[in-house]
Amino acid sequence: MDELLEQFLIEGRDLVAQAQGDLAALARQPERRDVLDGLFRAVHTLKGSVALFDMAPAEGLLHRAETRLDLARRNHAQGGDAPLSAPDLAALVAVIDQVDRWIDLLERDGSLPADAEARAAGLGLVLNGVLDGPDEGAVPVRGAGEPGAEPPRHDAAEHRPAWLEAMMAQAPSFGHAATAFRYVPDADCFFRGEDPLAVVRAVPDLLALDLSFPPDTPGIDDFEPFRCVLRIVGLSAAPQEKVRAAFRMMPNQVEVVALDAAEVEEKDPAGDIGEVPVEPGESGGMLRVSAARLDVLADEVGQMAVALNALEAAVERAAAGDRVLAAELRRVQGALAGSLNRLSSNVAEVRRVPLQPVLRRLPRLARDLAASLGKDVRFVLSGEGVEVDKQVADAIFEPLLHLVRNAVDHGIEAADARVAAGKPASGTISLSFQRRGDHLAVKVSDDGKGIEPVAIRRTAVEKGLIGEEEAAMLADRQALRLIFAPGFSTSRSVTGVSGRGVGMDAVQRAVERLQGSIEIESAPGRGTDIAIRLPLNAILTRLVTVRVGAERYGLRMDQIHEMLRVDAAAIEELGHGRACVIRDRTVPVLSLATLLGHADGLEHVGGEGTGAEDTAIDWARLVVTGASGERIALRVDAVGERIDAAVRERSGLLAAMPAIGGTTLDADGGVLLVLDLPELLS
């Protein structure tokens, strides 16, 4: 992909996301002048960016939007109320959404579709309804000397412009100059956060600059410091295309001329134009690193964790023969553990990226889907500025898209049904992100019709997912989790949106691949909340090892509420199973051995007693989890060490095995299976 196009795709989407966020903020607080100014800057810069490519319909449409925003800013400055009405905001949202689609198509196809002009014209008519006069919505055709005009292009064979003649007349010897430019910053550029000198400094292979003021510049007493009056001309050894790329955000303010080497005359080096030293390699303290290299670095951190776990096992063996040596090894082990923790934290920090660019398409997709279904939906996004691990950011969009589509299709009712139920005609879907400790809390909520557990049980039985007796025994919370079962769907027919029974199953699979968990709560008639919990650090996972018979397994610590031992006699028969009282609550007890197909762990006698008290009591070791939506105690034969490990996604033969969440390397170099407790208990 062309480097300039690649940079535009990044910057253009960032600007789209900023504009969408500002529009959402103005819908809530229309009086915010700072947000209005930010929106104007984003649209203005985006217009300049698209002008570099064959996107004339987008440029014209953004010019109309910019004109409307400029009118709103003037109205606000004059004390007017509500500078942007609801129809204004709706029209501007439609414009930004359309430009967003065109950017996607430019990346995929290399050009805009054939109907781009027609779409731009249609949206332009909507914006024309709020512009002052029929001509303000059109992209103006200006003279070459006016700021904002389409810059004239020259080649070496044409007559050189007057500013270039004047520059060359006073320039020293720059026989290797390839390009000259004249940059006239817009008078209001400071208000948009632009720095003309910083822009010029980014010109590659810069050789010389001349800064001047127009003849009509007022004196110091009448000078307005917030208006830019600079005129900047310069020479560069870089080709014309690279120089023009440095001004990609303000293409209408610069004139770029390609030079022949023979054209640059030898002059007295005592002229007025001075060389500007450009420090090689200067990058403002930022360094671009390939994402693949970060992945390799994270893998190496995982390997170091495996080695440290092996060292811990070696220290325990050494303690049996040489306590002095074991003490020294423990000191070294502690130092290495501290270094590994710091390294892991630093690598995790480097890998963190903001979620906002990933989520930028969701509001538009939600609106498009709602419109196709004839529903009125308001989409509210909050907390999108939180930073997460790159692996989480890369994988989170698809499950969130499934959840949003499900909420629009199944959750939000039609407008007439909502009004009949005493609700507003417009439904609301909210998506929020919050950092809680070392985890990311994601919540998708809607105020729709909710989920009826009775209907879920009936559908599951009809599709053969469970039997009638099993369905009747499920609590409502357990019944709701059936929507994550493969093949489950309440749709009676297959459409372009739903009916194939893969959406929610895909959500659960994606969340589990990220070592996360998902919970669902719903109130019929009031709506549904789906909560996802994901680790912020996807490099290392905290595990505890357990033994069942002769086998060892790993359990994720974030899925465990507590670990304890109780008198085996306290585990009693209850209905079709067993249970015991833990902290004044009756908790079902299941044998992990039985769930995994081993001998019945509840019939296993004895624990790992070490004293007289232990030999007198048959201790049962329990691991209490809430991974299935309710507290359940798993009986194991022994609880081992806690380790930090890099858990790999299951693959090969293990990919088809249920209840296996992944694998990691044990301290002895063997493979440790990490159990997927939600799937195991479902």
Side-chain angles (χ1 to χ4, degrees), residues 473-475 477-478 481 519 555 559-564 571 577-582 585-592 595 602 621-636 677-682:
M473 294 176 60
L474 291 177
R477 193 180 186 91
Q478 293 174 309
R481 293 194 65 85
E519 300 291 339
L555 304 179
Q559 294 180 344
I560 297 174
H561 288 172
E562 60 179 319
M563 294 174 287
L564 70 161
I571 302 176
R578 294 180 173 95
C580 70
V581 177
I582 301 176
R585 292 180 59 181
T586 300
V587 178
V589 177
L590 301 177
S591 166
L592 184 57
L595 293 174
L602 291 182
R621 281 158 176 78
L622 303 179
V623 176
V624 182
T625 177
S628 64
E630 62 175 336
R631 291 173 69 90
I632 292 177
L634 297 174
R635 185 171 180 178
V636 299
L677 290 184
E679 183 174 352
L680 183 66
L681 297 172
S682 64

Side-chain angles (χ1 to χ4, degrees), residues 29 59 73 91 102 115 153 249 273 319 339 361 366 370 392 404 420 431 433 442 470 479 485 492-493 606 616 656 677:
Q29 297 175 292
E59 183 183 6
R73 294 204 306 168
W102 281 335
D115 65 347
R153 304 191 179 206
M249 295 301 183
I273 299 181
S339 296
R361 289 187 293 158
V392 175
V404 170
L431 173 59
F433 301 87
V442 185
E470 185 181 357
R492 297 301 175 184
S493 60
L677 290 184

Side-chain angles (χ1 to χ4, degrees), residues 305-393:
V306 172
L308 191 63
N309 294 333
L311 177 60
E312 182 176 359
V315 171
E316 294 301 323
R317 292 193 298 271
D322 190 336
R323 293 188 177 182
V324 176
L325 175 61
E328 181 65 17
L329 289 175
R330 283 195 181 96
R331 185 187 66 78
V332 174
Q333 176 196 355
L336 288 174
S339 296
L340 178 61
N341 286 337
R342 290 188 293 273
L343 177 61
S344 176
S345 298
N346 288 331
V347 173
E349 192 66 32
V350 171
R351 284 169 56 92
R352 283 181 188 156
V353 295
L355 276 174
Q356 188 172 26
V358 179
L359 304 172
R360 63 175 188 83
R361 289 187 293 158
L362 271 180
R364 187 244 298 174
L365 293 173
R367 289 190 292 267
D368 289 350
L369 178 59
S372 70
L373 297 174
K375 297 181 179 180
D376 186 7
V377 174
R378 187 170 70 98
F379 188 84
V380 180
L381 186 61
S382 61
E384 66 273 22
V386 68
E387 293 187 343
V388 300
D389 187 89
K390 184 184 75 68
Q391 180 183 346
V392 175

Side-chain angles (χ1 to χ4, degrees), residues 54-192:
D54 187 16
M55 299 181 70
E59 183 183 6
L61 196 55
L62 287 168
H63 178 78
R64 295 175 184 270
E66 183 184 32
T67 302
R68 177 64 192 102
L69 291 171
D70 189 43
L71 291 173
R73 294 204 306 168
R74 292 182 205 169
N75 181 46
H76 193 284
Q78 295 170 1
D81 296 329
L84 288 175
S85 64
D88 294 335
L89 290 171
L92 290 167
V93 166
V95 168
I96 297 300
D97 283 354
Q98 185 58 62
V99 173
D100 190 20
R101 295 186 194 97
W102 281 335
I103 292 176
D104 290 344
L105 291 173
L106 181 66
E107 179 183 25
R108 190 189 71 186
D109 303 331
S111 62
L112 298 191
D115 65 347
E117 288 284 0
R119 287 185 178 275
L123 288 171
L125 291 176
V126 178
L127 283 171
N128 270 348
V130 293
L131 294 175
D132 295 336
D135 294 330
E136 291 201 44
V139 177
V141 180
R142 300 175 179 165
E146 297 181 58
E150 177 67 22
R153 304 191 179 206
H154 305 270
D155 57 36
E158 294 181 357
H159 178 69
R160 294 184 302 199
W163 63 266
L164 181 55
E165 291 284 359
M167 179 181 185
M168 300 306 296
Q170 60 174 331
S173 175
F174 288 109
H176 56 298
T179 308
F181 64 87
R182 179 175 183 260
Y183 172 33
V184 183
D186 183 73
D188 294 329
C189 65
F190 298 144
F191 291 99
R192 294 192 297 272

Side-chain angles (χ1 to χ4, degrees), residues 106-342:
L106 181 66
E107 179 183 25
R108 190 189 71 186
D109 303 331
S111 62
L112 298 191
D115 65 347
E117 288 284 0
R119 287 185 178 275
L123 288 171
L125 291 176
V126 178
L127 283 171
N128 270 348
V130 293
L131 294 175
D132 295 336
D135 294 330
E136 291 201 44
V139 177
V141 180
R142 300 175 179 165
E146 297 181 58
E150 177 67 22
R153 304 191 179 206
H154 305 270
D155 57 36
E158 294 181 357
H159 178 69
R160 294 184 302 199
W163 63 266
L164 181 55
E165 291 284 359
M167 179 181 185
M168 300 306 296
Q170 60 174 331
S173 175
F174 288 109
H176 56 298
T179 308
F181 64 87
R182 179 175 183 260
Y183 172 33
V184 183
D186 183 73
D188 294 329
C189 65
F190 298 144
F191 291 99
R192 294 192 297 272
E194 297 172 6
D195 182 352
L197 294 182
V199 172
V200 171
R201 191 174 180 80
V203 173
D205 300 328
L206 190 61
L207 299 174
L209 282 180
D210 180 37
L211 280 67
S212 62
F213 304 105
D216 58 349
T217 301
I220 190 66
D221 293 336
D222 300 321
F223 189 79
E224 188 175 346
F226 298 107
R227 291 183 64 82
C228 182
V229 294
L230 280 176
R231 301 292 183 266
I232 305 174
V233 295
L235 290 174
S236 168
Q240 184 179 15
E241 294 75 16
K242 290 189 175 181
V243 173
R244 192 177 297 280
F247 297 95
R248 61 185 179 277
M249 295 301 183
M250 55 283 300
N252 296 333
Q253 302 171 25
V254 66
E255 188 176 351
V256 181
V257 181
L259 303 175
D260 273 348
E263 282 193 289
V264 185
E265 303 173 12
E266 297 287 336
K267 297 292 179 183
D268 183 2
D272 294 333
I273 299 181
E275 286 188 327
V276 178
V278 179
E279 297 178 20
E282 182 174 339
S283 59
M286 300 296 289
L287 178 65
R288 282 193 170 186
V289 179
S290 166
R293 292 187 178 183
L294 291 179
D295 292 338
V296 170
L297 189 59
D299 288 341
E300 290 302 319
V301 170
Q303 293 300 321
M304 289 180 63
V306 172
L308 191 63
N309 294 333
L311 177 60
E312 182 176 359
V315 171
E316 294 301 323
R317 292 193 298 271
D322 190 336
R323 293 188 177 182
V324 176
L325 175 61
E328 181 65 17
L329 289 175
R330 283 195 181 96
R331 185 187 66 78
V332 174
Q333 176 196 355
L336 288 174
S339 296
L340 178 61
N341 286 337
R342 290 188 293 273

Side-chain angles (χ1 to χ4, degrees), residues 1-11 53 242 245 248 288:
M1 183 182 293
D2 177 75
E3 184 178 351
L4 183 59
L5 175 59
E6 187 175 0
Q7 187 66 25
F8 164 72
L9 293 174
I10 297 173
E11 295 176 352
F53 302 92
K242 290 189 175 181
R248 61 185 179 277
R288 282 193 170 186

